[in-house]
């Protein structure tokens, strides 16, 4: 028979990770719910996942590519910016939905116990589906512009996605905890996330920063987007050092996120 | 094993920060401004808080709770509002951790602090059964197996693929409760959830709970203001007051102790919470002779209920209603629309209604009032239940004639036309 001991909470126990595994069905149901609800609520459903990055690509291509003549490492600007947008949209939407996941689910948090970490993870998982849909457009674009990635490039994509996933979870956990405590933070977040896009090489190549481009490398999304372009479009050889830096930065972010989240978790239900 | 306690609660206490307890979250802007305006004062209070000197803002919702529950016992938890009943259930359900002490639980816990937790209005009844079931701790397979029984118990099979936002409130509650009733934990923790739903369905649920405990030997902890339900279900009862256990033992004795204590009967109840509904009951007063507030009324004295309520937005086709319960059963129900026989509309504003209860109507005993504002068949806009009052025999010839024991619950002066016929 299962024995539960309820005591004043410590900040982190390894058991917490095992518990998430025990509750994997609930994780599945939360993700399933978010997808179902979203696709029921928007009339065009899954098409929205394509429409959004596609329209952004067109606008960026017209203004940054054609009018501002932004360099694009020698590949056509539309496909250059779309590759960046694909990963950026995944990261930014995941980050913002994770940061509000506790408040959005407060009625459940105050009534039922489950490992709270499930909520942010499920928020990011939901975005993976949009990523997959939007990635189909990239395949079409690559076909249209005549790019074919090599095997290594295709194998690298899941790894890059994993970095983006962990970075979104880490940052999201931190923001979610702050959001519960300080309710005015959520009004600043969209602005903050928008700012982040400009310090990530989405619309421009990292090479334009010249000798200062190493500063950009601290941002894990720089490594993800730069290498996604390298792997799929062959803009440059794959930069393993950059991937390594991104990994380290992501782990630091994830660590901070988990600690802050677990620390606040103890009194979520009391203040939410 | 049988004699070992299934739940052991040792020295459990829960401290709230007063501003936490009020649900007061802070704005980062305010915190920054406080620090900038008077940085030294901020540091001083912060240091005091860390050192544990500053205890002004602390409040113990539970103190030194010790309790052992054995397998198969059904434990009632009673006490006035704010006595810590809900906090205890929240700690037992692991929603919030205790500040001190320890609880050891042998077995799977299912907690039901609300029916329909996580129900999503856009999803269909079928989808919500799966979602809610998962939230309550059931696996996908388990829900699929029980699916037909859940639908049947709720009686919503025709609408199972309709989004629940189109359900009537009755259907919604029935479906939600039905999912919960099919949980199979070793220990079930229930807050005042039976208060929702109509009387008949409540009865069905109580019946189901009774059946389950007797068959499977399930352990239940049950918070309620409804003494009738507690008496019917619980073997033992805990009385909490100001965060401490005042009495634990035989249900009848504990209830008797509670109903005699001064905390039980409140003649004036005020409700200051905020709401997003269209109306809110603000104050309920029980008034005895000469409109003096009292919840202990002689059976032959004037008795009225005064309700103050606020209407925020115009409501159409609604009524203000009063119900009187005895041992969980509705004795009578009345509303301000009864006389005209049609529903009226309420314009925004604050109102006061005095409802007169006829003299010599109720026999001596404990009764519970319900006051609500509802749109019949649509929803309860606000509903306050289980407001206790006591009717007692006063010094008068009728009571004396029956030796203070008039049979029945209602006293009704019938006309007797006596004629000598031979």
């Amino acid at each position: 028979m299962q024995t539960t001991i309820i005591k004043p909470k410590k900040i982190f126990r390894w058991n917490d990770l095992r518990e998430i595994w025990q509750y994997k069905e609930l994780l599945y149901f939360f993700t399933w719910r978010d997808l179902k609800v979203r696709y029921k609520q928007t009339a065009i459903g899954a098409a929205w996942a394509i429409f959004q990055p596609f329209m952004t690509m067109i606008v960026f291509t017209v203004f940054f590519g054609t009018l501002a003549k932004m360099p694009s490492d020698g590949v056509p600007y539309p496909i250059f910016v779309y590759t960046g947008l694909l990963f950026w949209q995944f990261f930014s939407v995941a980050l913002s939905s994770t940061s509000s996941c506790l408040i959005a689910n407060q009625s459940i948090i105050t009534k039922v116990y489950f490992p709270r970490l499930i909520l942010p993870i499920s928020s990011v998982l939901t975005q993976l589906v949009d990523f997959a849909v939007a990635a189909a457009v990239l395949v079409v674009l690559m076909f249209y512009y005549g790019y074919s990635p090599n095997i290594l490039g295709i194998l690298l994509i899941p790894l890059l996605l994993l970095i983006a996933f962990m970075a979104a979870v880490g940052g999201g956990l931190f923001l979610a905890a702050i959001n519960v405590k300080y309710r005015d933070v959520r009004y600043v977040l969209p602005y903050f996330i928008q700012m982040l896009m400009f310090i990530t090489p989405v619309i421009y190549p990292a090479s334009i920063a010249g000798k200062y481009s190493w500063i950009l490398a601290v941002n894990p999304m720089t490594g993800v987007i730069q290498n996604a372009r390298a792997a799929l479009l062959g803009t440059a050889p794959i930069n393993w050092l950059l991937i390594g830096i991104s990994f380290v930065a992501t782990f630091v972010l994830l660590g901070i996120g988990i600690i802050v989240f677990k620390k606040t978790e103890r009194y979520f239900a009391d203040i939410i | 094993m049988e004699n070992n306690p299934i739940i052991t609660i040792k020295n459990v206490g829960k401290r709230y920060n007063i501003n936490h307890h009020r649900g007061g979250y802070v704005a980062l802007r305010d915190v920054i401004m406080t620090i900038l305006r008077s940085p030294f004062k901020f540091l001083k209070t912060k240091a005091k808080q860390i050192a544990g000197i500053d205890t002004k803002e602390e409040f113990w919702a539970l103190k030194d709770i010790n309790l052992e529950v054995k397998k198969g016992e059904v434990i009632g938890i009673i006490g006035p509002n704010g006595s810590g009943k809900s906090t205890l259930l929240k700690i037992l359900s692991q929603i919030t951790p205790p500040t001190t002490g320890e609880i050891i639980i042998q077995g799977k816990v299912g907690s039901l602090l609300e029916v329909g937790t996580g129900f999503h209005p856009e999803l269909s009844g079928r989808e919500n059964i799966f979602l809610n079931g998962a939230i309550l701790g059931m696996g996908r397979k388990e829900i699929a197996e029980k699916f037909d029984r859940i639908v049947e118990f709720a009686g919503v099979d025709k609408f199972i693929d309709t989004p629940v936002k189109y359900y009537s409130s009755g259907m919604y509650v029935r479906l939600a409760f039905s999912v919960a009733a099919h949980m199979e934990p070793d220990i079930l923790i229930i807050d005042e959830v039976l208060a929702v739903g109509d009387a008949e369905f409540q009865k069905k649920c109580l019946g189901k709970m009774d059946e389950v405990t007797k068959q499977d030997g399930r352990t239940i902890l049950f918070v309620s203001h409804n003494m009738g339900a507690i008496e019917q279900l619980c073997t033992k009862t805990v009385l909490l007051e100001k965060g401490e256990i005042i009495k634990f033992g035989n249900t009848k004795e504990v209830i008797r102790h509670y109903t005699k204590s001064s905390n039980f009967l409140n003649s004036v109840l005020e409700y200051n919470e905020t709401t997003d509904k269209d109306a809110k009951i603000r104050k309920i007063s029980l008034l005895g002779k000469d409109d003096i507030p009292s919840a202990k009324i002689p059976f032959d004295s004037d008795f009225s209920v005064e309700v103050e309520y606020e209407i925020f937005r115009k409501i159409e086709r609604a009524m203000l209603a009063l119900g009187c319960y005895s041992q969980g059963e509705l004795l009578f129900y009345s509303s301000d629309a009864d006389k005209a026989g049609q529903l009226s509309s309420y314009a925004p504003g604050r109102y006061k209604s005095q409802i007169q209860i006829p003299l010599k109507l109720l026999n001596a005993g404990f009764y519970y009032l319900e006051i609500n504002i509802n749109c019949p068949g649509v929803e309860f806009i606000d509903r306050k239940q289980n407001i206790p009052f006591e009717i007692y025999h006063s010094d008068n010839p009728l009571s004396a004639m029956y030796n203070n024991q008039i049979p029945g619950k209602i006293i009704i002066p019938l006309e007797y036309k006596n004629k000598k016929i031979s």
Side-chain angles (χ1 to χ4, degrees):
Chain A
M1 191 175 264
Q2 157 193 358
T3 305
T4 316
I5 296 175
I6 305 172
K7 274 201 274 199
K9 274 225 169 114
K10 288 214 183 91
I11 286 179
F12 184 78
R13 298 166 304 168
W14 283 106
N15 242 348
D16 293 345
L17 297 180
R18 214 178 59 198
E19 215 183 27
I20 292 175
W21 182 246
Q22 281 171 1
Y23 278 82
K24 57 186 183 301
E25 289 221 335
L26 187 58
L27 178 62
Y28 164 81
F29 272 110
F30 278 143
T31 313
W32 170 84
R33 173 197 66 179
D34 288 348
L35 285 172
K36 265 240 141 107
V37 170
R38 198 144 49 96
Y39 289 136
K40 268 188 189 179
Q41 275 173 343
T42 56
I44 49 171
W48 183 243
I50 296 178
F51 183 78
Q52 218 182 342
F54 193 76
M55 280 315 286
T56 320
M57 174 198 80
I58 289 175
V59 171
F60 283 5
T61 304
V62 170
F63 288 96
F64 296 117
T66 313
L67 297 178
K69 304 220 176 342
M70 188 72 82
S72 54
D73 287 346
V75 296
Y77 193 79
I79 193 166
F80 170 86
V81 79
Y82 194 86
T83 313
L85 279 172
L86 178 66
F87 282 89
W88 179 255
Q89 296 257 351
F90 167 73
F91 174 76
S92 67
V93 179
L95 188 67
S96 68
S97 72
T98 309
S99 64
S100 62
C101 71
L102 293 176
I103 294 174
N105 288 290
Q106 58 172 294
S107 62
I108 305 178
I109 289 181
T110 52
K111 300 293 179 203
V112 178
Y113 173 76
F114 55 88
R116 308 307 189 201
L117 273 170
I118 282 185
L119 284 171
I121 296 175
S122 114
S123 296
V124 182
L125 279 178
T126 312
Q127 296 310 320
L128 272 184
V129 177
D130 277 10
F131 178 86
V133 175
V137 177
L138 182 66
V139 174
V140 174
L141 279 177
M142 284 174 68
F143 193 74
Y144 180 81
Y145 285 102
Y147 283 91
S148 54
N150 51 23
I151 298 296
L152 180 67
I154 290 174
L155 289 179
L156 197 62
I157 295 303
L159 182 74
L160 297 175
L161 197 55
L162 180 71
I163 299 177
F165 186 95
M166 291 196 301
V169 172
L173 284 175
F174 177 77
L175 293 173
I178 300 280
N179 228 340
V180 169
K181 206 166 170 189
Y182 305 110
R183 292 300 166 92
D184 51 350
V185 170
R186 65 177 137 170
Y187 304 113
V188 201
L189 269 182
Y191 173 75
F192 167 75
I193 291 174
Q194 210 175 10
M195 286 292 111
L196 272 185
M197 189 180 89
F198 291 102
I199 56 166
T200 309
V202 179
I203 50 176
Y204 56 85
S207 53
I208 62 165
K211 59 179 175 173
Y212 297 109
S213 62
W214 59 270
I215 301 177
L216 287 176
V218 182
N219 173 356
M221 288 309 289
T222 301
V224 171
I225 291 175
Q226 285 290 91
N227 281 296
R229 284 179 184 143
L232 295 172
L233 312 173
T235 49
I238 288 161
N239 190 336
W240 293 102
L241 175 67
L242 197 55
I243 292 182
I245 297 173
S246 294
F247 247 112
V248 173
T250 301
F251 272 115
V252 171
L253 191 60
L254 192 61
I256 294 174
I258 290 180
I259 289 171
V260 172
F261 187 86
K262 294 297 289 184
K263 222 180 134 183
T264 336
E265 186 188 34
R266 288 177 291 168
Y267 50 87
F268 277 162
D270 299 338
I271 59 173
I272 211 162
Chain B
M1 190 65 212
E2 284 295 311
N3 284 323
N4 284 341
I6 191 164
I7 305 175
T8 314
I9 304 179
K10 280 189 240 165
N11 304 322
V12 163
K14 172 78 183 177
R15 184 184 60 210
Y16 279 112
N17 240 328
I18 285 185
N19 45 16
H20 280 180
H21 190 62
R22 286 195 186 134
Y25 28 77
V26 265
L28 186 59
R29 188 189 56 192
D30 296 343
V31 177
I32 293 172
M33 283 312 285
T34 328
I35 298 175
L36 288 181
R37 269 196 205 125
S38 41
F40 291 108
K41 203 174 156 198
F42 175 79
L43 282 177
K44 219 166 105 186
T45 39
K46 202 78 198 167
K48 267 190 185 167
Q49 270 170 13
I50 290 167
I53 306 166
D54 188 9
T55 52
K56 276 188 299 210
E57 296 191 340
E58 286 175 4
F59 156 75
W60 287 87
L62 284 177
K63 272 175 290 191
D64 234 355
I65 301 291
N66 287 286
L67 194 66
E68 284 190 351
V69 180
K70 294 203 176 72
K71 191 175 180 320
E73 282 186 325
V74 182
I75 307 283
I77 301 173
I78 57 176
N81 287 334
S83 57
K85 302 184 298 278
S86 299
T87 308
L88 182 59
L89 292 199
K90 277 190 175 170
I91 292 174
L92 281 165
S93 335
Q94 298 191 57
I95 290 164
T96 184
T99 313
T100 62
E102 179 178 70
I103 299 174
I104 301 164
I105 298 175
Q106 312 277 353
K108 198 179 159 204
V109 180
S111 55
L112 195 56
L113 304 193
E114 178 190 64
V115 287
T117 305
F119 259 46
H120 200 290
E122 297 284 342
L123 297 178
S124 70
R126 180 188 304 275
E127 289 160 344
N128 269 309
I129 289 178
F130 278 92
L131 178 64
N132 186 235
I135 289 173
L136 292 174
M138 288 190 247
R140 219 183 322 175
K141 260 196 211 144
E142 192 186 343
I143 305 168
E145 272 168 27
K146 292 175 179 166
F147 187 82
D148 293 336
R149 271 182 287 156
I150 292 174
V151 176
E152 195 196 335
F153 188 83
V156 292
D157 42 338
K158 271 190 212 152
F159 307 98
I160 199 64
D161 289 310
T162 311
V164 296
K165 65 177 171 184
Y166 299 120
Y167 279 30
S168 73
S169 61
M171 277 162 64
Y172 184 95
V173 167
R174 283 207 304 277
L175 181 64
F177 200 91
S178 180
V179 181
H182 288 82
M183 290 199 284
E184 280 175 5
D186 303 307
I187 300 158
L188 187 57
I189 293 173
I190 310 177
D191 203 349
E192 188 108 62
V193 288
L194 294 172
V196 292
D198 52 79
E200 199 177 321
F201 192 70
Q202 279 183 22
K203 251 187 163 167
K204 199 172 158 189
C205 295
L206 283 176
K208 169 98 189 167
M209 275 168 62
D210 219 18
E211 176 196 313
V212 164
T213 31
K214 287 196 177 121
Q215 261 176 19
D216 311 350
R218 183 171 308 163
T219 313
I220 299 186
L221 274 90
F222 179 44
V223 160
S224 182
H225 283 107
N226 182 343
M227 297 300 144
I230 294 265
E231 219 170 322
Q232 190 187 334
L233 284 174
C234 305
T235 43
K236 282 178 168 180
T237 296
V238 177
L239 171 59
L240 278 176
E241 228 163 78
K242 289 183 184 141
E244 286 173 283
I245 296 184
I246 300 287
K247 209 169 162 66
F248 175 49
N250 177 289
T251 296
K252 279 209 167 98
E253 279 170 31
V254 176
I255 289 182
R256 203 176 308 138
H257 182 87
Y258 178 44
T259 48
K260 274 188 186 150
S261 74
S262 54
N263 278 320
F264 177 60
L265 296 173
N266 282 315
S267 51
V268 180
L269 296 117
E270 288 182 70
Y271 308 94
N272 298 318
E273 319 89 57
T274 50
T275 180
D276 52 359
K277 295 266 193 167
D278 292 343
K280 179 105 188 84
I281 294 169
R282 284 296 177 206
K283 190 173 171 189
I284 298 172
S285 321
L286 308 177
L287 305 175
K289 202 163 178 272
D290 299 325
D291 289 350
I292 295 164
S294 170
K296 284 181 100 165
I297 314 276
F299 91 108
D300 59 346
S301 133
D302 280 330
F303 177 33
S304 62
V305 181
E306 192 181 84
V307 185
E308 271 185 56
Y309 53 99
E310 224 173 317
I311 310 282
F312 304 108
R313 282 171 292 272
K314 188 174 183 192
I315 36 181
E316 305 274 3
R317 305 189 52 74
M319 54 159 71
L320 171 72
L322 173 149
C324 180
Y325 294 81
S326 163
Q327 289 170 348
E329 299 230 30
L330 183 61
L331 275 186
F332 61 86
Y333 194 80
S334 112
S335 87
D336 61 349
D338 291 2
K339 225 170 207 168
Q342 62 178 33
L343 300 165
S344 44
S345 66
Y346 296 79
R350 200 177 170 114
Y351 295 84
K352 197 194 277 191
S353 299
Q354 193 166 0
I355 309 158
Q356 195 72 39
I357 313 270
L359 297 177
K360 295 188 189 172
L361 172 71
L362 294 169
N363 202 347
F366 285 102
Y367 298 89
Y368 298 88
L369 275 181
E370 160 177 350
I371 304 286
N372 70 56
I373 301 173
N374 77 83
C375 296
V378 185
E379 61 163 347
F380 287 105
I381 300 171
D382 196 7
R383 190 178 191 189
K384 305 291 174 208
Q385 292 178 293
N386 294 308
I387 301 158
F389 64 93
E390 187 186 359
I391 301 286
Y392 65 94
H393 285 290
S394 59
D395 205 8
N396 73 78
L398 177 61
S399 301
M401 182 180 81
Y402 279 102
N403 208 4
N404 282 348
Q405 286 188 337
I406 307 176
K409 283 176 183 164
I410 303 276
I411 299 170
I412 184 160
L414 299 177
E415 193 72 34
Y416 284 79
K417 286 185 181 160
N418 292 347
K419 235 188 273 177
K420 190 173 186 212
I421 50 171
S422 69

